[in-house]
Structure formats: C-alpha cells, structure tokens
Amino acid sequence: MRAGTEFHRREFLLATAAAATLGFVGRARAAFPEKDIFFIVPYAPGGGFDTHVRAIAPALERMLPRMVNVVPLNVPGGAGSRAANQLARAKPDGTTIGVFNIPGMFDLQQEGKADYDLTRFTWIGSLGRDHYALAVGYDSPVKTVDDLRALSRTRPVKFTSTGPSSTAYAATLIAGEVLGIRTQLITGYKGSNDYVLGAVRGDGDAVITVLPTLRRMEEGKALRIIATFEAHGSLPGVPDAKVLAQPDLALIILERLVAGPPNMPNEIRDTLSSALIKAMADPAVVAWAKQADVELQPETAAQAAQILADQEKFFQKWKRYLTSG
Amino acid sequence: MLDLWLSGIQHLLQVRELLFLMLGMAIGLIFGAIPGLGGSCALALLMPLTYGLEPITALALSGGVMGAVPMGGSITAILLNTPGTAPNAATCLDGYPLAKQGKAGLAIGAAASANSIGGIIGTISVLAVLPIAKDLVLAFGPPEFFVLAVLGLITVATASRGKLMRGLITGALGLMISFVGYNDVVGGERFTLGIGYLWDGVHLVPALIGLFAVAEMINLSVKGGSVSGDARNVEITSMWSGVLETFRHWPTVLRGSLIGTVVGAIPGVGGVVASFLSYSMTVQASKNPESFGKGNIQGVIAPEAAINAKDGSALIPTLAFGIPGGAEMAVFLGILVLHGLQPGPMILTQNQTEIYGLIWALTASCLLASFIGLLVVRPLAMITLVDSEILVPAVICVALVGSYAVDAEIENVVVTAIFGLLGYLMIRFDYPRLTVVIAMVLGGTAERNYYQSMIMGDGHWSIFVSRPIAAVLVAGIVALLVWPALRGLARPLTRRFTLTRRGGG
C-alpha cells in the first residue's frame, strides 16, 4: 500500500520537477528537498526543545514534497550560541534549519559576543510558545504576590534559574522589575526541570518558568502557582497580567522559533514553512502534544519574522535590567 | 504493593516485550563494550524506532539497553584498560592488571556476578524506597551536591595508586580542563581560544577514549607483543571461580550496591562517583590496601556492583523530577516524553505499571547480559593474546569512529587524538590517568553547586554544616582523610604495646 502511494508521489514529483525545469525556476531548487535535512536543537538530548523536534521530525518528513530524513542534531553549548553560529555558517539550501529560544538568545547578540545576527536569519515558522508563571513552594508561607513584595522589603527574593542568555533568566529579571520585587538569582541550574526542582527543594523562595511545567508541579503538590503571566489567565483563582495590572507581563513569552541560514531562497522557505504547519496538524503530533500538555501553535514564515521583530523590540526595552549577570 | 510489582512483570512477560528486551540487551552489550558509544548513543539511535511502539514495549527496549551497558563496558575495561563507559574507569584499576597476569577470565567472571548481584540489590532497594523516592530526591540540594563532589574528588587519593603528588597534579589538570567552556553560572566563556566547539567544554567521552583506548594502543604498539604479554597460560577456565569470588566477598558487594543505590538516586552526580567511591571505600576497609591496583579481585567487584545498583535508583530523579543523572538518562527522558510519559511527581503514582515494568526490564537485562558476558568470555579473553600489529589498528579505528559517533562532531576526533598523546605521555612518565577523569567529571558540578550554596547561604560557609545531610557528608570526608593517617599512627603504638606486654609477661 505504502510503496504504492510513494510511487505515485514520486511520479507526481517528477512531473512537477520537469514542469519546473521547463519554466524559469532552477531545477535544483524546484527539486527541494533532495538531501536529508538537519534540524539543529541548541541543547542536549532530553530537554523541551529536543523533545519538540523529535516529536515533530517524523511528521515533517511525511509532509515534505519528497521523502527525505529530518535528522535532529543536538548542538549544545554557550546557551544556544554554538547552534546559532553553526546555522549562520550553513548553506541556505534548506538542508540545515534550527529552533531557537527567543527572546533569550538576543542577550549574547547584545553583548557583541556572537558572530551571528538573529534578525538576518530566514525565519520559517514556530514550534509553539509558552507563557510564564510565578510559583512558590507548596507549603511556603508566601501565598500571594503581595507576600513576595513584603518579603522583598526585608531582603532580595531568591529565584532559582538557569544562567544568563536564556529566556527564563530574562523573564525572571523582567518580571521582578515589573512586579516591584527585588530579585537575587541562584543561577547555574542545568535546565528548566533542574531549577524547578531547586524551587521545590527550597533552594530559593520562588521560581518563574513556563506554565505547563508549573501546572504539573502543582498537580503533584510540589509547587503552588501564585500568578500567571497570561493576558487572560487559564487558571481559576490565580491572578493574571490583567488582574495584576501589568500588561507587560503578558509579553514575556518563550518562543520556539524555527529558522534557516540568512538568505535562504523564498521557495525553499515556503516549502519548509508549509510542511511544518502541516506536520503540526498531523494526528500523531497532535496526540503527542495533548499527552505531553504542550501548546502547538504553528506560524507562517511572515508571522515568525514578525514575532522575532516584536521580541527584539521587547528585549531592547528591558535590556538595561538584564545586565546584572 | 505486591500486586503492582506483579502487574509490572506480567506486562513484561509478553512475547513482543521480551523480544524487544533481548534486542535492547544485545545492543546495550555491544554499545557498552565499544568505547565511546555507550548507553546514551544506543538510546539516541533507537529513539526514532520507539516512536511506533507501545510505551511498555519502548520501555522494555530502553531498559534492556540500560541494564546491559555496564557489563559490556566492564569487558573492555578489563581486557584493554579502556573503560567502555565512564563509570567503568574504576574497573580498569584492578581489572587490567588481572588481564595482564592472564586472569582475564577470573576478572570478567567476577565482574559478571558482581553486576548481577549489584543489579538485584539495586532493584530491591529501589522497590523499597520508591514510595519515599520524592523525599529522598528533595533531601539533596546544592550544598549536599558540592560536598558529594568533594567526596568524589578525594577518591583521587586512591586512584593515584600510591603516587599521591602525581595524582594531585593530574587531578588539578582535570579540574582545569573541566572549566573550559561556557559558564552556566554567570554567563560568558572561559579558555575556549575562540574555538566554537569548546563553548560546550571538552567533551568527556572523546577525551576518555583518547586517554585510555588510544593511549593504551600507542603504548602497546611501542612495546610490541600482546596485552597479556608473557603470561602464556591465559586462565580462561577460571571464569567460574571468578563468579564465585563475588560470593566470597559479600561485604564488598553489599557496600558497593548500597553506595550505588544511594549515589544513583542523587541527580547530577552519576555513576563515576558511585564506582570510585565504592572502590575507594573497599581499599580503605581492606586489611592489605597495598594489594589494590596490582590485580586484587575485590577491586573489580566493588565498582561493578555499584554501577549496576546505581541504574535502578537513577530512575528516581529522572522520573520524579525529570532530572537526568547522566547523558544516558537524559536521552531516556526524551524517550519517556515522546511516549507521553511526562516526568513529574505524578508519574510515580499515575504510570505505575510502566515504571515497575521498566524496573523489571532493567533487572532482567542486567542478569541476561551478565550471563551472555560469561558465555563469550572465552573468545573475548583471546583478545589479550592478539598481536599488537592486528589489535592496535583495529582498536584505534573503532575508537576514532566511536569518538565521532558520540555526537557526530569531527572535533571530537581531534580531542581524542590530543588526549591519546597526552595519555601515552602519562603512561610513559608514570602519571595516573584516572585522576584526570574524576576531576573532569566533578569539576563543573563542584563549582556550580558551590556558587549556588553560597547564594543560598548568603555567603556563609556555615551552610555546609548547618544542614544535617551535608554535615554528615563533611564528617565522612574528614574521616576518610584522617583515617589512614590515624591508622599509620596507631600501628607503631599497637606494636609497642604488644612488645611491652610481651616484655612484661
């Protein structure tokens, strides 16, 4: 059965390719994808970004106009900058794409430590986004944001977090500023699970991270969410950005944006973009997302580029608070 | 409780699950034996394959791999002085001297039975502590991790094999290497020489392959001959007596298994500490510590029991909090998430069938792998008789490919080559190499957790003694450091005492 459909598809492709050759589009481009596609994950295997890519890659293979392998490639190190450097140097032929932690990645670029420019990348789409929330230990005497403010009048409030140049780090500092809480970050945890565990353990007073993770921790009676940074809160009884009267909180978002190297031809970008959108609607991927409590929100290439521009603006606005690291 | 254990077994005892378990076991054994490949590599390659499988089948496959890797790793450690996986490094200390004496069979036999018993004890301990697993994981925070890392670092003293000053020098070298790369604590890079690859630090496994496999092969080719050299009569038949050796050293096995279980449950410390700590404690407890490093069978049993006991309990932080104990667990975590098993405090209550199935798969695979290991001891031990002209190119080839395969980066091969030369120079001038590995593994952990502890404790060192577990560990460190000195002092005293008594009587 399967071989049969593939046969038909190949026939169809050959026909398309031939048609394209007759036209004015170069043959190599029309035939994209010809080779395996490497999907760069800027972190080690096992984390959130890695799992997203590994869950979506098989569906992406099926949705491309021609069956090639989509191979997840972990390039950890330097808070994502190694991965960005690698992508910046890759050929813009569609065989190398990557997913990035936005807006945290802007940090290194701001400091002039990067040999890449995120705004020059070819933005293809998104693997989804997450809102942030603020949580404290389940049995903590702190029950509300006001309690945290009161605590911050006596001493800086300790938050567990990863190091500089991650969105979580930026989110914690910006949220502290917006909410009027003096913050001191315990940094160096290896990933989001690690610093969330630190918060459960009581290493610090509170933690700010993506909402799905915190929801799981609250279900397990390990943490208590005392505020969500959504415009319209999804948790009953928990104040959101509107209730807290801080609309800027709702702009603190973790974007998992997908990019190719600078100057990628539009046809290749659009082929990848539409395949990615279709892959995210694939039943297997949707089922995975439901089980894993992940919000998949596909974006077109133009939307992804717009999100990046907005995030850069947002990051610029708050930049001066992020230099404490 | 018992019905849960049984339902776990029941789910595993299906033809399909058993087949995948065996497949995983075979892959684990091979990947464990080839330096550089290891469990994380096997699981990463299998990950897309598990996509279409039922969760319990995928777990049987993963459990099969993880249970068998240590056995495979110990074989190469004993035969070629090259740890197949990092924790097996401790097995080299006495395993390789045994192989050189022609007693490879004895050593592998002992490793196999220590593996099995360690695995079983590990499983029993995990089943016992699973209900309180959450509290166990939460009891260890940055101050405890820091003290544990220091505890691991002082095993450098034992791994130096009597050359303490040289051990400290190479240990310091290892620490320096461990600080290369991006600093997760305050951001920014250190000692990267502008090389992008080094932003992620010097990768441990390629360095390990160079330091051991390549260095050992350079040394062998310079020397000529074969691994077991003059030992013409290789005692392969002594395999079963090797198996029995483990039963003759119960305290060693128990100590190793308990250390493995406890250390395994602590996230981020990992198997290297477990195996070296177990080795170190065994040497300390021994009546003739000077026999270690020269082919004492207890030096094989102690680390091997700890490594397998660790595997079961390492699941606790991985499952309950999504904190992998090492690279292998990190990839396994990815497999869990792919199958919709979201790690978190709830998983221990919501997915009990899968969890117990996984624990049994680990145990079964560990037993099977040990058995298979015993079956292939005879042909494998022949490796020590192979002439260097054949062995050296073959092993170097596998080592370099393995190094590249770790994460498909060509720079790994360069690292392996550099560390190969370094390792050879260290053999040539008689500097211990294992101390480099211990320090490389623990340097980052120690630094990060020290920094975090300092913020937690507002800059006061008192945090290391004001928390009960940290205080106990600090006391342990003091005892470990002071004990040999006290024993040295006590010896002349007791002698004088007996002399006086004799004189008096």
Side-chain angles (χ1 to χ4, degrees), chain B residues 137-148:
Chain B
V137 175
L138 290 179
F140 286 82
E144 287 78 19
F145 291 148
F146 171 71
V147 181
L148 267 170

Side-chain angles (χ1 to χ4, degrees), chain A residues 45-47 50-51 54-56 58 62 73-79 81-82 85-86 108 113 155 158 161-165 169 184-190 193-195 197 200-204 216-217 219-222 284-285 288 291-294 325, chain B residues 44 47-48 51 134 137-143 145 182-189 196-200 203 267 320-323 327 330-331 333-334 337-346 350 407-409 411 448 451-453 455-458 467:
Chain A
D50 182 62
T51 320
R54 285 180 198 274
I56 292 169
R62 289 196 299 275
L73 184 68
N74 299 90
V75 186
S81 59
R82 248 186 95 214
N85 275 327
Q86 190 160 328
L108 285 166
K113 283 184 188 167
R155 63 165 173 84
K158 290 173 192 169
S161 189
T162 46
S165 310
Y169 178 90
Q184 181 174 23
L185 265 57
I186 306 179
T187 54
Y189 294 92
K190 285 221 145 164
N193 284 330
D194 204 7
Y195 68 75
L197 173 62
V200 176
R201 220 157 39 200
D203 292 359
R216 268 198 306 283
M217 287 294 154
E219 266 174 48
K221 295 199 179 356
V285 174
W288 164 77
Q291 262 184 326
D293 192 14
V294 163
Chain B
M47 196 192 258
Y51 201 66
K134 207 173 121 182
V137 175
L138 290 179
F140 286 82
F145 291 148
Y182 188 81
N183 179 349
D184 290 321
V185 176
V186 292
E189 41 162 347
Y197 171 80
L198 290 179
W199 275 55
D200 195 30
H203 293 195
F321 293 100
I323 314 289
V331 185
L333 196 63
V337 178
L338 259 187
H339 287 274
L341 296 168
Q342 197 70 42
M346 300 303 283
Q350 280 174 354
D407 36 22
E409 292 194 81
E411 289 94 334
R448 192 171 58 249
Y451 173 85
Q452 291 173 339
S453 305
I455 299 183
M456 284 171 65
D458 295 314
R467 294 162 61 112

Side-chain angles (χ1 to χ4, degrees), chain B residues 52-295:
Chain B
L53 299 177
E54 289 287 311
I56 186 83
T57 321
L59 291 183
L61 181 70
S62 321
V65 171
M66 291 191 286
V69 163
M71 181 65 218
S74 71
I75 294 174
T76 2
I78 291 167
L79 294 180
L80 298 170
N81 203 13
T82 298
T85 64
N88 294 114
T91 314
C92 296
L93 286 171
D94 278 282
Y96 187 61
L98 281 169
K100 279 216 276 203
Q101 294 160 23
K103 293 181 189 159
L106 185 80
I108 294 180
S113 54
N115 256 314
S116 305
I117 299 174
I120 294 172
I121 295 178
T123 304
I124 296 172
S125 330
V126 169
L127 291 177
V129 301
L130 211 51
I132 55 152
K134 207 173 121 182
D135 303 308
L136 186 69
V137 175
L138 290 179
F140 286 82
E144 287 78 19
F145 291 148
F146 171 71
V147 181
L148 267 170
V150 173
L151 192 63
L153 282 171
I154 65 168
T155 63
V156 161
T158 350
S160 307
R161 306 192 203 183
K163 301 180 195 77
L164 189 59
M165 198 41 82
R166 292 177 175 212
L168 289 176
I169 292 173
T170 52
L173 176 72
L175 278 181
M176 284 159 69
I177 297 170
S178 76
F179 296 141
V180 172
Y182 188 81
N183 179 349
D184 290 321
V185 176
V186 292
E189 41 162 347
R190 296 185 295 193
F191 319 123
T192 57
L193 314 172
I195 301 168
Y197 171 80
L198 290 179
W199 275 55
D200 195 30
V202 175
H203 293 195
L204 178 67
V205 178
L208 202 68
I209 297 173
L211 217 44
F212 290 92
V214 174
E216 211 58 59
M217 287 304 120
I218 298 176
N219 189 39
L220 188 62
S221 68
V222 171
K223 255 187 5 197
S226 64
V227 170
S228 56
D230 303 328
R232 280 260 152 259
N233 49 338
V234 176
E235 296 172 46
I236 295 161
T237 42
S238 59
M239 179 181 90
W240 292 107
S241 53
V243 173
L244 290 177
E245 280 292 334
T246 303
F247 293 92
R248 241 174 259 146
H249 296 287
W250 269 115
T252 308
V253 181
L254 279 178
R255 193 185 310 113
S257 307
L258 287 180
I259 291 175
T261 310
V262 173
V263 174
I266 304 163
V269 184
V272 178
V273 176
S275 62
F276 273 100
L277 206 56
S278 169
Y279 182 86
S280 212
M281 303 275 268
T282 302
V283 176
Q284 300 268 7
S286 170
K287 287 198 189 73
N288 35 356
E290 56 284 345
S291 67
F292 283 85
K294 295 169 190 152

Side-chain angles (χ1 to χ4, degrees), chain A residues 93-159:
Chain A
D93 58 359
T95 55
T96 314
I97 57 175
V99 59
F100 293 97
N101 180 334
I102 305 295
M105 284 284 302
F106 277 115
D107 184 52
L108 285 166
Q109 196 170 319
Q110 301 289 346
E111 289 177 33
K113 283 184 188 167
D115 337 338
Y116 55 81
D117 181 353
L118 290 173
T119 55
R120 289 191 55 236
F121 280 178
T122 308
W123 294 93
I124 295 167
S126 168
L127 298 187
R129 68 165 59 117
D130 276 316
H131 283 279
Y132 280 84
L134 167 62
V136 293
Y138 200 76
D139 302 317
S140 165
V142 173
K143 305 281 181 216
T144 62
V145 177
D146 278 334
D147 289 350
L148 270 188
R149 284 198 190 105
L151 182 64
S152 117
R153 279 192 283 276
T154 59
R155 63 165 173 84
V157 178
K158 290 173 192 169
F159 287 85

Side-chain angles (χ1 to χ4, degrees), chain B residues 10-22 57:
Chain B
Q10 229 168 31
H11 278 84
L12 205 61
L13 285 181
Q14 313 284 338
V15 178
R16 222 158 81 97
E17 275 67 35
L18 283 179
L19 276 177
F20 273 96
L21 174 67
M22 302 282 273
T57 321

